[in-house]
Amino acid sequence: MKAIQAGLLGIGTVGTGVYNVLQRNQAEIKRRAGRGIEITMVADLDTARAQSLVGPDVKVVNDARAVIANPDIDIVIELIGGYGIARQLVMEAIEAGKHVVTANKALLAVHGTEIFAAAHRRGVMVAFEAAVAGGIPIIKALREGLTANSIEWIAGIINGTTNFILSEMRDKGLDFDVALKDAQRLGYAEADPTFDIEGVDAAHKATIMSAIAFGIPVQFDKAYVEGITKLGAQDIRYAEQLGYRIKLLGITKRTSKGVELRVHPSLVPAKRLIANVEGAMNAVVVQGDAVGTTMYYGKGAGSEPTASAVIADLVDITRLHTVDAANRVPHLAFQPDQMSDAVVLPMADVVTSYYLRLRVADQAGVLAQVTGLLAGAGISIDAMLQRQAQELGGAGATQTDLIILTHNVREGTMNEILAKMQALPTVLAPIVRIRKEELA
Amino acid sequence: MKAIQAGLLGIGTVGTGVYNVLQRNQAEIKRRAGRGIEITMVADLDTARAQSLVGPDVKVVNDARAVIANPDIDIVIELIGGYGIARQLVMEAIEAGKHVVTANKALLAVHGTEIFAAAHRRGVMVAFEAAVAGGIPIIKALREGLTANSIEWIAGIINGTTNFILSEMRDKGLDFDVALKDAQRLGYAEADPTFDIEGVDAAHKATIMSAIAFGIPVQFDKAYVEGITKLGAQDIRYAEQLGYRIKLLGITKRTSKGVELRVHPSLVPAKRLIANVEGAMNAVVVQGDAVGTTMYYGKGAGSEPTASAVIADLVDITRLHTVDAANRVPHLAFQPDQMSDAVVLPMADVVTSYYLRLRVADQAGVLAQVTGLLAGAGISIDAMLQRQAQELGGAGATQTDLIILTHNVREGTMNEILAKMQALPTVLAPIVRIRKEELA
């Protein structure tokens, strides 16, 4: 049987990985897929570099539309990235009747609804395993492996850059700025790291998982996004003393009121497996009502780990290539006519627990004031730690740090109490508030 | 569209879970599968109990063949277990043109080749996600999620009973016999725990994973199987002091000479994520050449976790039900005409590293004798620990424990050296030898 022919749009780090792994493992992949899979055409602006990467047998062009227009191409692999030209090309490929494989999380998180609708109409697949958590087959687990379950929540370390920075901060007691510079020097963070450190990349991925888990449209614009740029080394230390690690989590949760979708630094009990995921590794915890807790761990980025996911999609499409469209695995796990319109909750309606750190005057009655405010709002305290004044050192011998872990409370309520707490004359500095996820 | 009708053979713990989860999540599962999935018939010897579990709308019979003969039944779910009647019924269901879902790892590990060949001939699916690691979708990950990779090795904690016992031994300093009794009392071990504690159950599962990973036939009879019954509490302690945990691992590995397939207790570096998988939980680490290390974690047994996997298979079959057979996902990840006949290595040809504990006379020259033997065979030492003689207590004040970690060596070579070492007059008791897997 004739090999499946794929065309690559953009041959950077991931594209090179896709080409190399397909070459290296071509015999084994053919044994799995039932027919060969070949990249026969590449579009890249730097055609000379592209040609040197793929050798003389692959046609290299500088016009992506020439790949889409080629009638021999079965699958278009979009690795350009971004919302602009990538969106146009994906839509054109779909209209041309090509299956599409993409690693573009930003595109899908923002324009996924439009793209999947077009693909359904045209009867082609848009596969995107590489868009979330790199080489970890988490899309497949959610879409096919856990179909029995009512998914309750997902919490993932889904950005390697920030996990690397957090690991460095903890291991070496570094401040964020220093750890970021280290990460940049070592190639774990880009020159402009904004999308990573501000949580945007993680939010793109959480948005996609949320849609698949709950059968809702992608809606990145409703996600709550908070990065790690404000985390201090001392908070990581204090959390540690309390038995917690701080991780940037992408979280989506089903509640009776709607779906939570949020990215922010979170305390996680140190004894949880995911708390021990260090460096640039990724891990996603999924809680299902039947299966309980499952976790998926691996490399979330890099040339060949991401290529692994892209090629898994190529194999899936190859295996299902001649299937009638009505029985294909649906893009978002649920059939297109079975999407629900459950709302995404505003952050104020999210219920979670908290780590609070207050710099307070070291004098009688302070503790009573603070805990009185919490008790008045029905917020119960899980644990408390008071640092000795002398341990703070320096000029502040009359100050002390008060750390409080709370039980669950609605964020809107917590915001009100924090405003009152901050206004107390005995609270001497801005209160640090970090959300805490027990993941139990 | 008419609902898919499934018939259940055997309604014990897992069968009850399947029925209950299908009932509870039926709307959501239908949204995912594209059509409803219903259990409309149950065969069980205890018909009264079965009828009380499923209610009056489900037909209950005491003859499994009545389910297979029912033309309305699309899928037969085999949950009887064992090699005997279960094998006959699965073969008859296949011949009758029914798709089969089974959780029966023993059946597939021993008779899988015959069963999959019959299914391929008849054009039906035999799905078995529940046969390995319960609710963890590891079969799907290997068969579909990691298709780009040349799989290098798999190492899994795939038996919850033994992992529970090992966790108890470590946490509480218990000996095996005591920990086993605890496990039985708490329901983590059966009255006859042989299959679990002797490693047979783990070997069934490792055999199935080996076939899927490498495209080889299932061949349980070639597996090396060693359980945990001989592990002593002191070895767990010593391993701990060296930075290791002891886990019962199912391992399969591709080497230039063939495929390793083995189950035995193993030291694992305590800092590895899998070393921290405690209690009855399961976890499987997969090393692929493109993706690197990935890990899959969750509940490996129990009513609803196992049901989660069974139902995922029902959904897969439903989604692919009307597909032409040539393009169906193959049972063992590779197309039936693409199976390789790579040999399974005898244990003597396995290369691994070792933990050795020797009770030796506390006198000059002993260390030189022991290390001389290792050096003579080209076995290099990774680490060594000598216990102070007085710490052993009791009458043996003139004895001491010598613990050695080796680098990699062929097991046949190690066996020869161990025989010589054991024959030394200064070695006072049987040498304890445990294999060590760095998993790096």
Side-chain angles (χ1 to χ4, degrees), chain A residues 157 159-172 174 178-189 228 247-248 277-282:
Chain A
I157 295 173
N159 180 272
T161 302
T162 46
N163 203 52
F164 178 83
I165 291 171
L166 292 174
S167 295
E168 289 284 291
M169 288 175 72
R170 187 176 82 86
D171 287 353
K172 303 180 181 168
L174 300 180
V178 180
L180 170 60
K181 287 207 180 70
D182 280 1
Q184 287 173 317
R185 201 179 54 243
L186 295 166
Y188 287 110
I228 63 166
K247 295 292 183 186
L248 181 70
V277 171
E278 300 292 352
M281 300 302 284
N282 279 201

Side-chain angles (χ1 to χ4, degrees), chain B residues 107-184:
Chain B
L107 177 65
L108 296 179
V110 176
H111 300 292
T113 302
E114 166 196 14
I115 289 166
F116 295 127
H120 182 66
R121 220 164 35 233
R122 198 63 181 77
V124 297
M125 291 180 76
V126 174
F128 52 94
E129 183 63 79
V132 180
I136 307 172
I138 183 65
I139 298 297
K140 186 166 279 287
L142 288 170
R143 192 165 59 184
E144 303 167 39
L146 301 176
T147 46
N149 292 269
S150 175
I151 304 289
E152 295 169 354
W153 52 261
I154 299 174
I157 296 173
I158 46 182
N159 181 271
T161 301
T162 46
N163 203 53
F164 179 83
I165 291 171
L166 291 174
S167 295
E168 288 286 290
M169 289 174 72
R170 186 176 83 85
D171 287 352
K172 302 179 181 168
L174 301 180
D175 279 319
F176 171 77
D177 293 339
V178 181
L180 171 60
K181 287 205 180 70
D182 280 2
Q184 287 174 317

Side-chain angles (χ1 to χ4, degrees), chain A residues 138 142 153-157 209 250 252 272-274 283-287 292-296 439, chain B residues 297:
Chain A
I138 183 64
L142 288 170
W153 52 262
I154 299 173
I157 295 173
M209 290 198 289
T252 183
R272 297 268 177 277
L273 222 46
I274 195 172
V284 179
V285 177
V286 181
Q287 183 77 19
T293 303
T294 56
M295 191 178 91
Y296 309 83
L439 302 185
Chain B
Y297 166 89

